[in-house]
Amino acid sequence: TLFRSKQWYQRRVAITAGITNNLSSRAMPPKFDPQAVNYVYLKVVGGEVGATSSLAPKIGPLGLSPKKVGDDIAKATQGWKGLRITVELKIQNRQASVSVVPSASSLVIKALKEPTRDRKKVKNIAHSGNITMDDVIEIARTMRTRSGAKHLSGTCKEIIGTAQSVGCTVDGQPPHDVIESIQSGDIEIPEE
């Protein structure tokens, strides 16, 4: 009984001091603010409705229907059919707006203008096409804000390196030769 009375006394002191019981304060999460803007980034296959089971843990707590958001993502990524791209969901007032955040590799593959393929049937595709230097400069301008380079020529070299890892050529030449000719000054890149 001594143990019970000590426990009773501690609880009584906590109540009189205005402190709520620890158990109730741990159980309640903070109140959801509808005006707050949340950003969720997802990697999806363009033009396809992803599995709602992968969406549910990310957007369910924000009060959104995973099926509806999946349909919105599929609608917004129609231009990127068959490519894995990053999608940004901006969630405010339980409304999600979808925007595509393309990566350098997905922009390079899109510039190759390959026919759409069935992901389930055709595996391990080799992107052995050719892109022009104008395509590279256009992609570099798109990726400029996310690049770590000081000048546009550095961003172009990053894109050409991505083209090398994808497996395509630039103006019919191996990508590394194009990088060396940019460094030597044989190919001039316009500033911005």
Side-chain angles (χ1 to χ4, degrees):
T1 59
L2 180 67
F3 178 71
R4 277 190 187 157
S5 63
K6 187 176 180 183
Q7 210 175 25
W8 178 86
Y9 178 75
Q10 287 174 338
R11 205 176 287 148
R12 188 79 183 146
V13 168
I15 290 170
T16 54
I19 301 170
T20 59
N21 190 351
N22 283 341
L23 294 175
S24 66
S25 66
R26 286 184 191 159
M28 289 297 291
K31 202 116 173 113
F32 180 69
D33 181 20
Q35 297 298 325
V37 178
N38 292 318
Y39 291 93
V40 178
Y41 293 91
L42 303 165
K43 198 92 155 141
V44 296
V45 177
E48 294 182 15
V49 178
T52 55
S53 60
S54 64
L55 280 174
K58 295 177 182 89
I59 62 171
L62 300 172
L64 292 165
S65 163
K67 187 176 184 333
K68 184 180 174 300
V69 173
D71 293 339
D72 291 346
I73 290 172
K75 230 177 272 171
T77 58
Q78 282 300 320
W80 301 87
K81 263 200 157 83
L83 297 176
R84 278 186 64 77
I85 50 167
T86 308
V87 171
E88 178 189 70
L89 295 175
K90 180 183 175 187
I91 301 165
Q92 185 176 21
N93 291 336
R94 293 182 62 190
Q95 294 292 317
S97 59
V98 182
S99 60
V100 177
V101 184
S103 64
S105 60
S106 59
L107 286 167
V108 167
I109 293 170
K110 191 175 182 184
L112 288 171
K113 296 177 183 69
E114 293 177 341
T116 56
R117 62 187 175 92
D118 187 8
R119 283 188 324 119
K120 292 183 174 74
K121 292 178 184 168
V122 183
K123 303 276 186 186
N124 301 328
I125 190 166
H127 304 286
S128 58
N130 182 41
I131 59 174
T132 64
M133 198 61 198
D134 294 334
D135 289 338
V136 170
I137 292 171
E138 195 61 41
I139 294 169
R141 285 194 173 119
T142 306
M143 296 294 293
R144 188 74 184 107
T145 55
R146 295 184 354 195
S147 170
K150 283 184 182 177
H151 305 288
L152 188 65
S153 60
T155 310
C156 285
K157 288 189 266 187
E158 289 176 4
I159 301 303
I160 294 169
T162 305
Q164 181 172 356
S165 65
V166 164
C168 64
T169 57
V170 179
D171 283 337
Q173 298 177 319
H176 210 274
D177 296 349
V178 177
I179 291 175
E180 287 172 359
S181 58
I182 288 174
Q183 286 173 335
S184 66
D186 295 342
I187 297 176
E188 287 197 19
I189 306 294
E191 280 304 312
E192 307 308 313

